[in-house]
Amino acid sequence: MPGRRSRRAMIRGGGLAVAGLAGVTGAGMFDPEPASAAAVGPWEYVAPGGSIQAAISAGATAVQLGAGRYTIAAPIVPTRGCTIRGVGRLTEIVAQSTMTAMIEIGQGRATDGVYVGDLVLDCQQRATTGIDVHIVGTEGNYKGEPDSMCRLDNIWLYNPVRDGVAYRGTDTQATVTSRLRVRGAGQYGFMIDAPDNWWHACEATTRDSTGANAGFYVGANAANNFFQVCKSWYTRGYGWHVRANRNKFVGCESQDTRLHGWYVEWDRNTFVGCVADTAAMYDVQGTADTADGFYVADGAATSMVGCQAFDRRPGGRVAQQRYGFNVPASMVSGGRLVAATGWDNTGGLIRQR
C-alpha cells in the first residue's frame, strides 16, 4: 500500500478523473495538506474557510471546493475560462457583508467560458445580486467566438436583495443556465436583459410584494432566448414578465402568483405547452378575481399552442384566478391561440378584448 506522501503524489500526477478526485479530496479521503489551497492535478482545491478569490488571483483556472462554508466580503470575479465547482448542496458560499453581487462574471468587459456549478450561494439579503453576468466585448474569446458561452449549473441561490441572477451586456450570449433555483429574490429571480441564451429546469420565488417583481423578467434586450421546463412560483408579483420579442417558451409554468401568471407585454413570442396555475393567490397577498393566468397585451404575432390555465382552489378556497387567457381578439380569430385548456377560472377560460 502506498504511504501518505506517495498517495498525494498519485493525486497530483494525473491519470484519474479529476472531478471525482476533487470531490473525494474535499471529503478528506486523500488527506490534503491543511492549507487554504492545495494543487490537485489541474485543479486548485480550496478548503472550506479558504479564499476562492485568492486562488483565482494567483492564477487558478479550475477551482474545486469542498463540503463546508466559504464566507466572502467582496464579489468573486472569475477570470476567462475559469471553472468554480463545489460538491453540491454541502458547498456553501455565504455573503458576510454588503456587496453588489456574490459572483461577478465579466464586470462589463470581454470574458468567455466561465463555469460555476454544484454549490449554494446565500446572499443573506446582503448581496444585491447573486450572480451578475455582464459581458461586453469579444476580444480574446476562444477561437474568435462571437459569444461568451458561460455555464451556470446545479446552483441553489438564496435571498438576494434584488435579483437572483442578472444577465446583461451586449455579449452575454450562448450562455446556458440549468438546474438553478432562486429562493426569496427581492425583485427578480432571473433578470434577463441579454439575447441568445438558454435556460433549462430553472425556478424562482420572490420575497416582496411591492414594486417591480417577477420570477422571470425578460427585458427589452432579451431577444431570441430559449426557456424550457422552467417554473416561477410563490411570486409576490408576476410569474413571468415578458417585455421582449422573439423568445421561445416550452413547457414552462407559473404557479401561485400575486399578479398575472404570465404578463406578456411585448409581441412576437411563442409559447408551447406552458401552464398558469392560480394567479391572484391569497397566500402571496393576491386578491381574487384581479389577475389572469395569461395576459397578452399585444398578440399580433404571438402564438400559444397547447397551453393550460386553471385555478386549483388551494386550501379548499373558491377560485381566485380571473381569466385563463386574457388576449386580443385577433389572437383567437387569427388562429394563434390554439388548443387552450383550463378550469375553475372565475371569469371563464378565454377573454377576447
Side-chain angles (χ1 to χ4, degrees):
M1 292 291 289
R4 175 171 164 178
R5 190 174 298 275
S6 58
R7 278 183 293 175
R8 287 183 184 150
M10 287 171 61
I11 296 171
R12 294 176 182 157
L16 296 176
V18 174
L21 193 84
V24 296
T25 302
M29 179 177 177
F30 290 104
D31 189 21
E33 295 165 344
S36 61
V40 183
W43 292 81
E44 189 82 5
Y45 173 66
V46 179
S51 173
I52 300 167
Q53 188 59 52
I56 294 170
S57 297
T61 56
V63 178
Q64 177 68 54
L65 307 177
R69 175 168 289 198
Y70 301 77
T71 58
I72 61 173
I76 297 168
V77 183
T79 52
R80 185 184 295 278
C82 183
T83 289
I84 303 171
R85 175 182 289 167
V87 295
R89 189 186 61 78
L90 297 179
T91 299
E92 297 178 282
I93 304 177
V94 179
Q96 66 175 178
S97 58
T98 300
M99 61 189 74
T100 54
M102 293 190 70
I103 299 178
E104 294 184 348
I105 301 174
Q107 294 186 313
R109 299 185 294 270
T111 301
D112 71 326
V114 173
Y115 174 96
V116 180
D118 302 316
L119 49 80
V120 173
L121 292 172
D122 190 350
C123 298
Q124 296 203 119
Q125 295 190 43
R126 292 171 174 164
T128 301
T129 301
I131 304 174
D132 184 22
V133 189
H134 183 197
I135 300 172
V136 178
T138 60
E139 184 177 354
N141 280 7
Y142 181 69
K143 293 187 180 296
E145 284 282 1
D147 302 321
S148 58
M149 299 181 297
C150 296
R151 304 290 184 261
L152 307 175
D153 178 55
N154 197 30
I155 296 171
W156 293 256
L157 199 160
Y158 291 87
N159 297 317
V161 173
R162 191 175 66 199
D163 304 325
V165 189
Y167 307 80
R168 53 204 183 104
T170 53
D171 298 290
T172 296
Q173 299 184 119
T175 287
V176 179
T177 303
S178 53
R179 303 185 298 172
L180 200 160
R181 177 182 173 103
V182 177
R183 292 283 276 138
Q187 179 176 249
Y188 301 125
F190 296 84
M191 196 292 291
I192 301 159
D193 201 31
D196 299 296
N197 298 293
W198 287 259
W199 287 263
H200 176 79
C202 294
E203 56 180 315
T205 72
T206 62
R207 183 178 65 249
D208 297 331
S209 58
T210 58
N213 189 291
F216 290 76
Y217 173 76
V218 187
N221 296 308
N224 202 37
N225 291 296
F226 296 81
F227 301 86
Q228 184 179 29
V229 293
C230 293
K231 181 173 180 174
S232 176
W233 58 284
Y234 256 66
T235 53
R236 274 69 177 176
Y238 302 115
W240 298 73
H241 185 179
V242 182
R243 198 171 185 271
N245 53 39
R246 294 189 295 114
N247 294 285
K248 283 72 64 178
F249 303 84
V250 180
C252 294
E253 182 178 21
S254 71
Q255 181 182 35
D256 298 339
T257 61
R258 182 172 69 93
L259 303 179
H260 301 313
W262 295 80
Y263 178 33
V264 185
E265 189 175 359
W266 284 22
D267 197 16
R268 300 180 181 178
N269 297 287
T270 185
F271 303 81
V272 178
C274 293
V275 172
D277 174 353
T278 316
M281 167 65 164
Y282 73 92
D283 206 26
V284 286
Q285 294 79 54
T287 301
D289 203 31
T290 61
D292 306 316
F294 294 83
Y295 184 95
V296 182
D298 182 353
T302 287
S303 63
M304 291 186 171
V305 179
C307 295
Q308 190 172 80
F310 57 88
D311 192 306
R312 69 182 192 285
R313 300 184 180 184
R317 294 182 174 236
V318 297
Q320 299 162 100
Q321 182 165 282
R322 184 173 58 185
Y323 301 108
F325 300 83
N326 191 337
V327 300
S330 62
M331 277 190 69
V332 179
S333 63
R336 293 186 296 281
L337 180 64
V338 179
T341 61
W343 56 89
D344 286 339
N345 299 286
T346 65
L349 181 61
I350 299 174
R351 183 198 178 207
Q352 303 181 49
R353 301 191 310 277

